[in-house]
Amino acid sequence: MRRRLTSGGWVAVATTAMVIGSSLTAYGAYYDIYGNISQENIDTDAFGDRPTKVDGAVNIMVIGSDVRTGDNANYGTAEGERPDTLVIAHLSPERNGATLVNLPRDSLVALPDCPATETKPGQSAHTGMIGEAMNNGGVQCLWKTVEQLTGVHIDHFVSVDFTGFKGMVDSLGGVDMCIPTDLKDEKAKLDLKAGQQTLNGEQSLAYVRSRYAQGDGSDLGRIERQQEFMGAMLRKVTSGDILSSPTTLYDFLGSVTNSITTDDGLTVDTMADIAIAMREADMSNIRFITVPNGPAPQDPNRIAWTEPDASQLFQAIAEDADLSGGEEESSGGSAKKEEEPEESAPAVEPSQVAVEVVNGTGVSGLASEVATALGAEGFQVVGTGNPMDAVPEQTTVYYGTGQEAHAQTLADALQTATITENPALGTTVQLVLAGDWNGVKGASSGELPESAKGTTAEKPANACG
């Protein structure tokens, strides 16, 4: 039986393992340790139209499912198999860094159709919490869901369980944390005194699992604490004697591989390639971000991703854009941008336009890319797909009765498009991409909105002194 439970700590391990994994070869332990990993086949060909992969960058879907069996039964009971933590780890060797984007488990999203498996019932397309995809269709369904929601090409997935997380921390000799106040949470088995201290595996697990003893008790607050812990764990691995001690390195990575599951495409050679490329990663270039969000309109106890901010973030990740925030400013004498003429406001705002994107070009992944770009411009993308009928010669926006203004707003946002009425359509306009497709006018500045700046793995100001 695969063990797949996480506390959020694997995100740190996913990054640090890529930074230090190449050292294993020198110790003759690489293949020995790799043999401990459980693997699962993922049929990505079944997804259909997928986002385009950017050469050099690697995107890993980090999953922790809330299944409490085996050694993890001590942490309570839970039905089904849902992610307790879900992260896109974007590794960018060319930019000497990584970005880790948390997708909160309370997110209400559009879930795609997924077939039943030997152990899962499958699902029809519907709106639900993001973790339902895994519960209904397994890792493959969750992978498909994340790609369709974000427009980010996922290369691999990994997962780790509670017991393995504790072993990782203990193999490091603990992780140094500043605890601002006394913390006690019986549900998470947390009991810590305020002050600077080194947390062992059990204490670390309780700290990152705790939800109600700290902050406002929300999952978003817990994510912030997990990110803080991840940074501390990364700093411990890269600044101590872990890299120079064969025994400590072997114990650390042994704890990792004994407790994770990956896709079968994450081979030894792939791990080595990533590790070598990422070994010079700087802590200031390892960024933690939570997808911009707010209360869901239909349920304030759930989360909705904020647009266009979320789509701008995902587009930057999908394109491996520079996420430094454009902080460099030229000093004096910089040329001013030529002011562009103001455009009149559209009759219908993009936020009121529901769009389905259909890829008629034959370019794999284009519909997902366009969907992400339109989301970044504020449009409500309700689906993507391939054409059922003949593809027009020109990129065309089709609209139903009374929706011409909606179609015109969309067409005005595109470099090239014509609009045509189709009375069979309802309130959703349909964008069919043809051979003349030339992009979205405002797409891809590479800059992140303020709500998606996040934090880095550099040591923060220490509240404990």
Side-chain angles (χ1 to χ4, degrees):
M1 178 179 294
R2 290 178 290 118
R3 296 178 294 170
R4 192 183 292 137
L5 235 68
T6 187
S7 59
W10 170 248
V11 180
V13 178
T15 308
T16 54
M18 299 308 174
V19 175
I20 68 178
S22 58
S23 303
L24 286 174
T25 305
Y27 301 136
Y30 207 118
Y31 285 86
D32 181 27
I33 287 181
Y34 178 77
N36 296 331
I37 299 176
S38 298
Q39 294 194 314
E40 181 176 335
N41 175 259
I42 302 295
D43 181 15
T44 54
D45 290 340
F47 296 173
D49 194 44
R50 296 185 65 201
T52 301
K53 176 175 173 56
V54 175
D55 289 340
V58 178
N59 298 309
I60 300 175
M61 182 174 67
V62 182
I63 309 169
S65 76
D66 209 351
V67 175
R68 307 186 186 186
T69 57
D71 293 339
N72 302 295
N74 293 330
Y75 299 100
T77 59
E79 294 183 2
E81 186 178 20
R82 295 175 177 83
D84 185 59
T85 299
L86 181 60
V87 172
I88 298 174
H90 173 70
L91 309 180
S92 181
E94 183 175 337
R95 303 190 185 283
N96 193 30
T99 302
L100 300 111
V101 182
N102 280 81
L103 308 179
R105 64 181 183 179
D106 290 344
S107 301
L108 275 179
V109 296
L111 300 171
D113 177 80
C114 290
T117 69
E118 292 182 2
T119 59
K120 303 292 182 181
Q123 67 180 25
S124 299
H126 69 287
T127 298
M129 290 177 65
I130 192 167
E132 291 180 27
M134 186 171 180
N135 191 53
N136 295 334
V139 174
Q140 179 154 315
C141 182
L142 185 61
W143 188 322
K144 175 182 178 181
T145 298
V146 170
E147 284 200 343
Q148 290 197 5
L149 289 174
T150 66
V152 174
H153 181 100
I154 302 298
D155 298 288
H156 304 288
F157 88 88
V158 294
S159 63
V160 68
D161 66 25
F162 284 166
T163 303
F165 172 74
K166 292 191 300 180
M168 293 175 217
V169 174
D170 287 336
S171 70
L172 294 175
V175 173
D176 298 329
M177 290 291 294
C178 173
I179 308 301
T181 61
D182 291 352
L183 299 175
K184 192 173 182 65
D185 184 346
E186 293 183 3
K187 189 172 182 179
K189 301 184 178 181
L190 176 69
D191 188 0
L192 296 174
K193 297 297 182 183
Q196 185 74 28
Q197 53 190 289
T198 301
L199 305 186
N200 63 26
E202 192 70 53
Q203 291 170 324
S204 297
L205 178 60
Y207 179 78
V208 297
R209 288 185 66 217
S210 174
R211 178 167 176 171
Y212 300 105
Q214 307 177 64
D216 60 3
S218 70
D219 189 47
L220 294 175
R222 188 180 68 146
I223 287 174
E224 290 180 6
R225 291 187 294 275
Q226 289 179 352
Q227 291 173 340
E228 180 185 357
F229 184 88
M230 293 170 203
M233 192 172 183
L234 281 165
R235 293 192 296 272
K236 181 65 176 283
V237 170
T238 56
S239 64
D241 64 355
I242 306 301
L243 302 183
S244 60
S245 168
T247 300
T248 307
L249 179 63
Y250 189 90
D251 288 345
F252 174 72
L253 287 161
S255 298
V256 174
T257 56
N258 273 321
S259 308
I260 71 170
T261 301
T262 74
D263 60 285
D264 57 7
L266 191 55
T267 64
V268 173
D269 290 339
T270 301
M271 288 182 179
D273 289 343
I274 297 172
I276 292 169
M278 289 295 297
R279 63 188 172 191
E280 300 299 330
D282 189 279
M283 291 295 104
S284 64
N285 289 332
I286 296 177
R287 187 177 298 271
F288 302 110
I289 300 174
T290 300
V291 60
N293 65 83
Q298 60 270 57
D299 184 350
N301 294 316
R302 301 301 180 211
I303 288 171
W305 297 351
T306 303
E307 295 296 356
D309 293 18
S311 290
Q312 289 173 357
L313 167 62
F314 294 136
Q315 185 176 6
I317 295 294
E319 297 176 355
D320 192 28
D322 183 0
L323 302 183
S324 62
E327 291 148 1
E328 310 85 16
E329 293 184 4
S330 40
S331 56
S334 59
K336 291 180 64 177
K337 276 188 176 181
E338 184 178 343
E339 293 187 3
E340 298 180 358
E342 293 186 4
E343 295 184 4
S344 58
V348 177
E349 292 296 325
S351 61
Q352 302 301 311
V353 181
V355 186
E356 178 190 20
V357 183
V358 176
N359 184 9
T361 68
V363 178
S364 178
L366 185 59
S368 294
E369 292 178 25
V370 173
T372 300
L374 290 176
E377 297 303 309
F379 291 92
Q380 299 299 314
V381 181
V382 297
T384 60
N386 296 315
M388 302 296 291
D389 303 312
V391 177
E393 292 185 2
Q394 294 179 306
T395 294
T396 303
V397 179
Y398 293 98
Y399 64 93
T401 304
Q403 300 296 306
E404 183 175 2
H406 294 70
Q408 190 62 57
T409 293
L410 176 58
D412 289 344
L414 308 177
Q415 297 288 359
T416 303
T418 185
I419 66 172
T420 300
E421 185 174 10
N422 180 354
L425 293 176
T427 57
T428 297
V429 298
Q430 185 182 71
L431 169 61
V432 179
L433 310 176
D436 66 338
W437 171 251
N438 196 29
V440 177
K441 286 181 179 177
S444 188
S445 68
E447 295 184 4
L448 291 181
E450 285 299 320
S451 60
K453 295 295 185 183
T455 60
T456 71
E458 283 187 304
K459 188 174 182 179
N462 194 334
C464 293

